[in-house]
Amino acid sequence: MTTNDNKIFLSESQLPRSWYNIVAELPFDVPKPLHPIEDRGVEVDDFDWLWPLECLRIELHEGKYGTDPWIEIPPFIADVYRRYRPSPLVRARALEKYLGTPAEIYYKREDLNPAGSHKFNTALVQAYYAAQEEHSRIHTMATDTGAGQWGAALAMACETVGLNCCVFMIRKSFEEKPYRRYLMRMAGAEVYPSPSELTDTGRSVLKDDPDNSGSLGIGMSEAIEFVKEDPGRRLALGCMSYYAVLHQSVIGLETRQQLEQIDRTPSLMIGCVGGGSNFTGFVAPFVRDRIGGKPIEFRAIEPDSIPTLSQGEYRYDWADFSELTPRILMYTLGHRFVPPPVHSGGLRYHGKTPVLSALVKNNVVNTRTYSQQEVFDAGRVFLKTEGVLAAPESAHAVLGAIDAAREASNTEKTPVIVFCLSGHGYLDLKGYSDVLDLDTSN
Ligand SMILES: *Cc1c(COP(=O)(O)O)cnc(C)c1O
């Protein structure tokens, strides 16, 4: 790397060998999940029918997951990761120039993954654990999905390890955004609009409200019911779980090596938050540096219409609509919250993963909210300058970086802003068109 380069690469042999298990090192406790109804903690036996065992152990911080900061990446996973990782870190020189900022801006590309977002990083591992389980007769993974990024990632992950995949897709997205539905089916998954007629939850919601457009909470309840019907099925979760955060730490670990290569320490790290997995995985290794004394700032961006971290309550709540999942301590808008139909489907969660919630509660991570209009305008600026079409979710992080760059002043040390580009927006152009009025305006 010379100082004029735009892209900072790692070789395949520099792919991290371990994930970073942040809960083992935080100076404060991340409380474990509670039983859905009983007044006690969750045991592995309570949910061994629902989750792959290894995911459950991670979620309950069992054994090494409670004590070891480094968790080895299985060789099979590393081999598949190497198809698309390490991903480049890019200096946004054209954006810097456009903004006339003294800051340096970098973005980590998670849009080059199979299915187009960071979600494959954990979908692959969850499917692998299920397929590997001892004496396992697991044949199917089920899940819910909003705009379809998670469903598409899981569909491809299941294909990679030889499992079937069943996806409950929020009805509104199912109908209005067919492309990821096509992608999932092309990868071999079954896809149903949620609420569906397949489950009690779906039927009862539809009975009260035949036009219900669905929510991630309802979709999750449907997926859980579907799993309960057959011992060969398990649930996969994209965002609110801790295991997703653990797997996504590969993003932060690569970023850290890349910044080291060019002798930079970030001043500010930015990401968008839905459940919190890309942001928390991206910042986790740097939180370690901050606790070690480095003055790094972290900023999590959410839509102003779903202000969980900035306005939600910090309390125990369920991840799903029907109260079937463990209760977790987190910032939440309530598990019955029906999010407004914003185009950033991946950010429409009522709660944020407990580890991120704890980081916010302890003032390690700050938050900001933006409106859909200003976010999509930022997406347009990013396309025009860097030539990259950000996912609507990721455009929140783009705007976060633009905002921070505008605030940056010429200090002795150049501010270094680094953000996570969690996915691409090529299947979200209809949303961009609706907000930016691309159908009619020339
Ligand atoms: C799902 C998704 C998100 C939000 O999920 P997190 O768990 O918060 O990472 C963000 N960006 C993209 C592109 C997504 O697909």
Side-chain angles (χ1 to χ4, degrees):
M1 164 96 197
T2 70
T3 45
N4 288 325
D5 284 352
N6 289 304
K7 295 182 289 302
I8 302 123
F9 289 111
L10 297 174
S11 71
E12 289 184 25
S13 64
Q14 288 172 297
L15 181 84
R17 285 162 205 271
S18 305
W19 291 296
Y20 176 53
N21 181 25
I22 186 174
V23 295
E25 288 204 321
L26 282 177
F28 44 84
D29 225 28
V30 178
K32 296 180 195 177
L34 297 180
H35 191 272
I37 23 187
E38 293 168 29
D39 190 16
R40 63 174 176 87
V42 168
E43 311 281 338
V44 169
D45 296 353
D46 294 328
F47 284 103
D48 54 358
W49 58 273
L50 181 60
W51 274 289
L53 280 177
E54 206 63 21
C55 292
L56 203 48
R57 291 191 188 112
I58 299 171
E59 205 59 23
L60 302 181
H61 314 164
E62 264 206 8
K64 66 180 174 186
Y65 297 114
T67 52
D68 294 8
W70 302 101
I71 304 294
E72 195 191 332
I73 299 178
F76 174 87
I77 300 295
D79 282 346
V80 182
Y81 275 177
R82 272 193 288 271
R83 291 181 195 162
Y84 63 94
R85 309 206 67 91
S87 75
L89 180 74
V90 182
R91 172 106 182 252
R93 285 183 199 276
L95 179 62
E96 287 171 17
K97 195 164 167 225
Y98 168 86
L99 296 169
T101 177
E104 292 181 3
I105 305 174
Y106 297 86
Y107 57 100
K108 177 67 170 166
R109 294 200 68 165
E110 290 301 315
D111 59 319
L112 307 172
N113 283 345
S117 81
H118 66 289
K119 290 195 170 81
F120 188 79
N121 294 333
T122 180
L124 173 70
V125 193
Q126 295 181 35
Y128 169 78
Y129 286 152
Q132 286 296 303
E133 219 159 87
E134 226 179 326
H135 315 300
S136 143
R137 275 189 238 120
I138 298 173
H139 49 69
T140 301
M141 296 294 276
T143 199
D144 61 295
T145 194
Q149 287 108 326
W150 173 241
L154 188 67
M156 292 193 191
C158 285
E159 194 51 39
T160 308
V161 304
L163 293 178
N164 304 320
C165 181
C166 175
V167 180
F168 291 87
M169 183 172 191
I170 290 185
R171 181 175 294 272
K172 187 175 158 55
S173 309
F174 183 93
E175 286 165 1
E176 292 178 7
K177 300 182 177 167
Y179 291 109
R180 286 204 183 82
R181 165 159 48 101
Y182 303 153
L183 189 60
M184 287 184 259
R185 286 186 174 155
M186 198 166 160
E190 288 171 41
V191 190
Y192 299 98
S194 167
S196 77
E197 295 286 350
L198 260 66
T199 67
D200 287 342
T201 300
R203 284 186 294 265
S204 90
V205 172
L206 287 174
K207 190 160 159 268
D208 292 342
D209 174 13
D211 297 326
N212 190 291
S213 56
S215 74
L216 288 166
I218 294 172
M220 198 186 295
S221 290
E222 289 211 275
I224 293 170
E225 266 191 64
F226 177 82
V227 167
K228 210 167 194 172
E229 281 165 14
D230 181 336
R233 297 174 182 160
R234 290 292 183 280
L235 182 72
L237 283 186
C239 293
M240 266 188 300
S241 59
Y242 178 61
Y243 45 86
V245 170
L246 176 70
H247 302 148
Q248 297 299 355
S249 68
V250 70
I251 304 174
L253 291 167
E254 285 180 10
T255 305
R256 200 169 176 286
Q257 284 188 72
Q258 286 162 316
L259 288 169
E260 261 170 20
Q261 272 189 16
I262 53 166
D263 201 18
R264 294 288 187 281
T265 310
S267 5
L268 174 61
M269 298 188 72
I270 297 170
C272 63
V273 292
S277 69
N278 88 83
F279 176 81
T280 315
F282 175 58
V283 304
F286 297 88
V287 167
R288 187 173 198 253
D289 294 338
R290 153 112 165 229
I291 290 165
K294 285 194 182 154
I296 308 173
E297 207 188 312
F298 306 105
R299 197 172 287 170
I301 314 289
E302 30 182 35
D304 61 1
S305 54
I306 307 156
T308 309
L309 291 173
S310 29
Q311 287 172 42
E313 290 175 37
Y314 190 63
R315 62 174 166 86
Y316 280 94
D317 196 10
W318 292 270
D320 73 310
F321 180 85
S322 294
E323 308 178 0
L324 303 170
T325 49
R327 284 170 294 150
I328 46 182
L329 183 62
M330 61 178 175
Y331 281 98
T332 176
L333 296 168
H335 63 291
R336 293 276 156 96
F337 173 77
V338 178
V342 293
H343 291 290
S344 302
L347 306 187
R348 298 173 68 203
Y349 289 87
H350 64 273
K352 305 294 141 179
T353 188
V355 59
L356 173 59
S357 292
L359 289 168
V360 171
K361 184 76 185 162
N362 287 277
N363 300 314
V364 177
V365 169
N366 302 320
T367 66
R368 256 194 212 179
T369 62
Y370 296 122
S371 75
Q372 177 159 272
Q373 183 67 50
E374 56 189 343
V375 164
F376 278 54
D377 287 336
R380 189 202 292 252
V381 167
F382 199 60
L383 178 73
K384 284 179 157 185
T385 52
E386 294 296 313
V388 175
L389 181 60
E393 293 86 356
S394 318
H396 287 75
V398 171
L399 178 55
I402 290 176
D403 233 12
R406 288 206 168 114
E407 287 162 16
S409 52
N410 276 304
T411 48
E412 224 168 285
K413 229 175 143 236
T414 308
V416 176
I417 299 166
V418 191
F419 73 92
C420 182
L421 188 79
S422 52
H424 72 65
Y426 283 97
L427 300 181
D428 306 282
L429 277 166
K430 176 72 172 67
Y432 273 107
S433 167
D434 289 351
V435 176
L436 299 178
D437 201 15
L438 306 174
D439 247 344
T440 50
S441 67
N442 267 315

